[in-house]
Amino acid sequence: MRFKIFRILHLVLMGAITIPISIFMAAGAIGENYTDSYFVEPGFLVFILIWLVGAVLSFSKKGAKFGLVISALPPLLFLGTITYTVISGFFI
């Protein structure tokens, strides 16, 4: 029972991080949208697909833990990139 609650909380939290950041980056971030299309760089929407694959796998009996790991990859990548950018900015 506790694993089911953990799984739902994990997927909601990871989705709440992944979906807004992916859409923000796909839309061109701040001031990068000089075209008339909404998604300037649609490649960032792949992160939502990766999170969705992990979410679907987490509800199967065999791939539950593997699905949770896959669904955590996009937020970890975002947080790692942001951390690297902030730290490298101090040493320029």
Side-chain angles (χ1 to χ4, degrees), residues 3-86:
F3 183 71
K4 290 181 182 181
I5 294 171
F6 172 75
R7 176 177 50 200
I8 298 296
L9 288 175
H10 172 81
L11 292 176
V12 168
L13 182 65
M14 296 298 119
I17 294 171
T18 301
I19 293 172
I21 292 176
S22 295
I23 291 175
F24 175 72
M25 295 303 289
I30 298 174
E32 295 293 328
N33 193 354
Y34 50 85
T35 63
D36 291 335
S37 63
Y38 183 71
F39 292 122
V40 178
E41 185 62 42
F44 283 104
L45 296 176
V46 171
F47 293 117
I48 296 174
L49 182 66
I50 293 170
W51 172 80
L52 191 61
V53 166
V56 169
L57 277 177
S58 69
F59 285 103
S60 69
K61 290 195 183 250
K62 291 183 180 180
K65 294 178 183 174
F66 188 63
L68 291 177
V69 169
I70 290 176
S71 66
L73 289 178
L76 289 175
L77 178 70
F78 293 143
L79 293 175
T81 304
I82 291 169
T83 304
Y84 174 75
T85 304
V86 168

